[in-house]
Amino acid sequence: MTTAVLLIRRLHQHRNWVNQHLLAAAADLDEEPLRRTFAIGQGSIWASLLHLYAAEYVWLETLQGNQSGLLPGDLPGKLPGNQQGTGGVTGMAELQRDWAALQVRWEEYLDSLTDKQLEQPVYRASSRVNSGQPIATSRSDVLLHVCTHAQYTTAQVVNMFRQCGVESLPPTMLIALARQEAAG
């Protein structure tokens, strides 16, 4: 029997699978295309990958009860506009290492998740919304948001890869993951 938690876990498994492919494709790029400016997403492949990582970090912190968690290395009030912080991550090896550690935390969280917990509210304080007062959102909506946000940003990154001339674009569709698993 498929439960809501199993579906959530599957979506997050897909999110992680896509992340691994994005990181592998980005690791093959030189610094110039990695940081080339585009009029899409966060403005570069590098900044978009950092944005994905930071969003996953912040939302996991929120799910675990930290209402105003930031990526380590970011300081509140120090980023102009909606600019995403870097958490002090400056290179691809660091990003791969830190994201792998974050994924372990996600897996531990998702493994302990129950259907009953999905409708519980979680609270997130944001200086951009509601004057910093915590806003309640159902746990299920946050978990779904992390995956839909990742898919949206992934499409932007793939577009940037295409514009950089990457010939073998990373797979991103859930059906591709399912077919890979079925092929063994």
Side-chain angles (χ1 to χ4, degrees):
M1 178 173 136
T2 301
T3 66
V5 166
L6 290 176
L7 289 172
I8 295 278
R9 287 179 185 151
R10 180 63 169 169
L11 288 172
H12 282 271
Q13 177 189 16
H14 172 249
R15 173 190 53 76
N16 178 54
W17 179 79
V18 170
N19 288 347
Q20 298 311 307
H21 286 283
L22 293 176
L23 286 169
D28 288 341
L29 294 175
D30 293 329
E31 283 297 308
E32 189 280 323
L34 185 64
R35 296 174 192 266
R36 182 182 302 163
T37 301
F38 294 96
I40 186 173
Q42 301 302 307
S44 72
I45 293 169
W46 176 251
S48 296
L49 291 173
L50 286 175
H51 176 73
L52 279 168
Y53 166 67
E56 290 178 17
Y57 184 93
V58 166
W59 282 116
L60 181 57
E61 287 291 308
T62 300
L63 289 163
Q64 294 180 323
N66 185 351
Q67 294 181 12
S68 57
L70 292 172
L71 195 60
D74 285 348
L75 300 173
K78 297 292 182 188
L79 301 173
N82 66 355
Q83 181 181 342
Q84 183 64 56
T86 65
V89 176
T90 59
M92 187 58 67
E94 274 182 286
L95 182 59
Q96 290 169 320
R97 180 200 65 218
D98 291 355
W99 215 336
L102 177 60
Q103 182 56 31
V104 169
R105 290 182 55 218
W106 267 105
E107 289 170 9
E108 291 169 354
Y109 174 80
L110 292 165
D111 286 347
S112 69
L113 189 64
T114 65
D115 280 315
K116 184 176 180 179
Q117 292 172 310
L118 290 177
E119 295 314 311
Q120 295 172 343
V122 294
Y123 297 88
R124 175 91 186 130
S126 170
S127 59
R128 288 185 270 169
V129 179
N130 206 31
S131 301
Q133 295 301 309
I135 300 170
T137 308
S138 73
R139 189 174 305 274
S140 61
D141 282 343
V142 169
L143 288 161
L144 291 171
H145 169 74
V146 170
C147 293
T148 58
H149 171 268
Q151 195 65 21
Y152 176 82
T153 305
T154 292
Q156 295 171 334
V157 172
V158 169
N159 185 314
M160 288 182 254
F161 280 140
R162 185 176 287 114
Q163 291 182 53
C164 285
V166 172
E167 291 182 23
S168 181
L169 296 172
T172 61
M173 297 189 322
L174 179 60
I175 197 69
L177 169 60
R179 289 174 179 157
Q180 176 185 312
E181 292 169 337

